[in-house]
């Protein structure tokens, strides 16, 4: 099962598999917690910041997922 790690968010996936839960989680993050910003980001890269006051990090999607998971799995 996958739960949202954002403070105060009680969302959790209800899915038949880990892959389906991850897809639901990604959809939830975009719909509930993402913002659109104007930025020049190279193809194949994403920008993330782990805390509200951190600088934006430009990285690959895979690295962003690893950073997010390690940050929230303390």
């Amino acid at each position: 099962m996958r739960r949202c790690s954002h403070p105060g968010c009680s969302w959790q996936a209800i899915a038949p598999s880990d892959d389906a839960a991850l897809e639901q989680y990604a959809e939830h993050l975009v719909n509930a917690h993402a913002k659109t910003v104007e930025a020049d980001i190279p193809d194949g890269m994403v920008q993330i910041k782990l805390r509200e006051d951190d600088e934006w990090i430009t990285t690959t999607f895979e690295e962003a997922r690893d950073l997010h998971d390690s940050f929230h799995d303390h």
Side-chain angles (χ1 to χ4, degrees):
M1 182 176 354
R2 203 169 268 275
R3 295 175 186 266
C4 184
S5 57
H6 283 260
C9 185
S10 61
W11 180 92
Q12 65 183 28
I14 300 174
S17 68
D18 286 340
D19 287 342
L22 181 60
E23 188 174 322
Q24 286 180 7
Y25 181 55
E27 213 171 282
H28 163 74
L29 287 176
V30 169
N31 292 332
H33 303 295
K35 296 184 247 182
T36 301
V37 295
E38 299 281 330
D40 186 20
I41 304 169
D43 286 342
M45 304 292 274
V46 297
Q47 282 193 326
I48 64 167
K49 61 180 179 174
L50 299 171
R51 293 183 187 92
E52 193 65 34
D53 58 342
D54 284 351
E55 294 291 320
W56 286 97
I57 301 167
T58 302
T59 185
T60 65
F61 175 78
E62 292 80 14
E63 288 178 285
R65 181 176 42 212
D66 291 343
L67 285 169
H68 175 271
D69 289 348
S70 65
F71 179 78
H72 290 292
D73 287 342
H74 290 160

